[in-house]
């Protein structure tokens, strides 16, 4: 399982999305120098999307024996993570000037890239297995 590069891509994507449970999304600087932190886990729609992305990533990680299902699950995880990234981008561009976003706001974008790379490698593995099986069936005839 861990010999394939797509497994590492999926593990990195799951790790990034899991880290978002514990990260701070933004900090608002209030008058008087006080700070107010906004976390991803405090906002329920973010929390739902993060949980879905982590769950789908874990399913894709554990279904390495079924390549087509693994590829589809990785693509679905990438789409859900992309939706989360778009939502964070909308929040970023509509936020007030006193709100400073943390670097964790781009974790979903990195996870999307990892999921897409994993899906592409899974697809290439599937094509290789299919070509080998067709060569074997021709050889027997």
């Amino acid at each position: 399982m861990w010999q394939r590069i797509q497994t590492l891509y999926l593990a990195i994507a799951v790790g990034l999305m899991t880290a978002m449970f514990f990260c701070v999304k933004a900090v608002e600087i209030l008058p008087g120098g006080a700070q107010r932190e906004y976390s991803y886990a405090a906002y329920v729609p973010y929390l739902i999307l993060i949980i879905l992305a982590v769950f789908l990533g874990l399913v894709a990680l554990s279904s390495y024996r079924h390549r087509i299902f693994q590829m589809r699950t990785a693509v679905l995880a990438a789409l859900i993570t992309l939706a989360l990234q778009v939502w964070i981008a909308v929040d970023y561009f509509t936020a007030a000037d006193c709100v400073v976003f943390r670097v964790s706001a781009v974790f979903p974008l990195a996870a999307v890239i990892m999921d897409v790379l994993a899906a592409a490698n899974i697809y290439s593995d599937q094509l290789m297995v299919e070509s080998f099986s067709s060569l074997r069936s021709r050889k027997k005839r």
Side-chain angles (χ1 to χ4, degrees), residues 63-119:
S63 63
Y64 58 92
R65 293 187 189 264
H66 309 283
R67 284 182 209 86
I68 300 297
F69 179 72
Q70 185 183 29
M71 181 182 60
R72 289 179 180 167
T73 307
V75 168
L76 185 59
L79 289 174
I80 288 174
T81 308
L82 184 64
L84 176 64
Q85 182 64 56
V86 168
W87 200 336
I88 292 170
V90 167
D91 283 351
Y92 175 78
F93 289 115
T94 59
D97 291 336
C98 60
V99 177
V100 179
F101 278 76
R102 300 288 185 186
V103 72
S104 64
V106 295
F107 281 4
L109 183 61
V112 166
I113 292 169
M114 293 296 147
D115 283 334
V116 169
L117 286 173

Side-chain angles (χ1 to χ4, degrees), residues 6-19:
Q6 61 261 24
T7 306
L8 297 176
Y9 289 149
L10 288 170
I12 291 170
V14 168
L16 285 170
M17 294 307 294
T18 303

